[in-house]
Amino acid sequence: GYTLKELKEALFNVNQLSEAGYSLKELIDIGFDIHNLIRTDYTLIELKSIGYTLEEFKELGVSVKDLKILGFTAKELREVGYNIEQFRGIYSLKELVEANLNIAELLYISYTLEALKDFGFTAKEFKDFGISLVKLKELKFTPKELKEIGFSSEKLNLTLKFLEIKT
């Protein structure tokens, strides 16, 4: 019998060797180019199952959508340098919060303050980010919540008067 390397050198292609029963790992081990393997019958799932890393998938240009399907989290993608803009429409707000995206980053990728409040961001988190008292009131935080984060009754009353004039 011939070795797999000898068969490759005899110009058998990936499909022929795969059909002959050689595994993906064996084909990679003898030097077949991963791009050629992906273009044949091998899937990203098979590559992950033999130990391909997120960094290797990134080098191959695998999309964020496909990486999510493979089970990689937004946090993992962020750690290897994916741009948060690529997460838009693919990862949920919950997954992005779990990836430690902050308010500014979430706003940058098109979430609204209202959506962030509905998700559970607190008045304190918004205040710490620099959201004004007027905007916090517009987001329907209660006077009690706003007092708890340091706004005085006097400042709250002035804000309420301002909002009444504005409307």
Side-chain angles (χ1 to χ4, degrees):
Y2 294 99
T3 68
L4 181 55
K5 191 166 177 68
E6 290 170 330
L7 293 172
K8 180 184 181 223
E9 288 167 1
L11 301 178
F12 282 92
N13 67 35
V14 171
N15 287 333
Q16 292 165 323
L17 295 172
S18 175
E19 287 170 15
Y22 290 100
S23 74
L24 175 59
K25 182 162 179 21
E26 290 171 312
L27 296 173
I28 291 170
D29 288 346
I30 64 158
F32 271 102
D33 177 57
I34 191 66
H35 290 90
N36 288 333
L37 295 173
I38 290 173
R39 281 193 289 272
T40 61
D41 292 332
Y42 290 102
T43 67
L44 296 174
I45 293 169
E46 290 171 305
L47 291 176
K48 186 177 182 195
S49 74
I50 64 161
Y52 257 70
T53 66
L54 180 53
E55 290 84 356
E56 291 169 312
F57 284 126
K58 184 179 182 204
E59 287 174 26
L60 292 171
V62 176
S63 74
V64 169
K65 184 177 181 180
D66 286 338
L67 292 171
K68 182 179 183 194
I69 291 167
L70 288 172
F72 290 106
T73 66
K75 184 174 186 172
E76 291 170 317
L77 271 64
R78 190 171 189 199
E79 288 169 357
V80 298
Y82 276 87
N83 184 315
I84 62 170
E85 284 183 79
Q86 296 172 287
F87 300 164
R88 183 182 293 130
I90 295 171
Y91 286 98
S92 70
L93 180 55
K94 180 179 186 295
E95 292 167 316
L96 296 173
V97 170
E98 289 170 355
N100 299 319
L101 270 72
N102 62 38
I103 290 173
E105 292 166 322
L106 293 168
L107 292 172
Y108 178 72
I109 59 172
S110 301
Y111 284 96
T112 64
L113 289 173
E114 291 77 10
L116 299 181
K117 180 182 187 273
D118 291 344
F119 179 78
F121 279 87
T122 65
K124 180 176 181 354
E125 289 171 306
F126 284 124
K127 181 185 176 198
D128 291 348
F129 176 66
I131 301 298
S132 72
L133 176 56
V134 170
K135 188 65 182 169
L136 291 173
K137 279 300 295 167
E138 289 173 354
L139 288 169
K140 300 190 180 9
F141 284 105
T142 66
K144 181 179 185 286
E145 290 172 301
L146 297 172
K147 282 181 185 174
E148 288 172 357
I149 62 169
F151 289 107
S152 69
S153 294
E154 182 182 2
K155 194 163 189 171
L156 287 171
N157 289 333
L158 286 171
T159 302
L160 288 173
K161 285 179 185 170
F162 170 76
L163 291 173
E164 286 172 18
I165 294 169
K166 187 176 164 188
T167 55

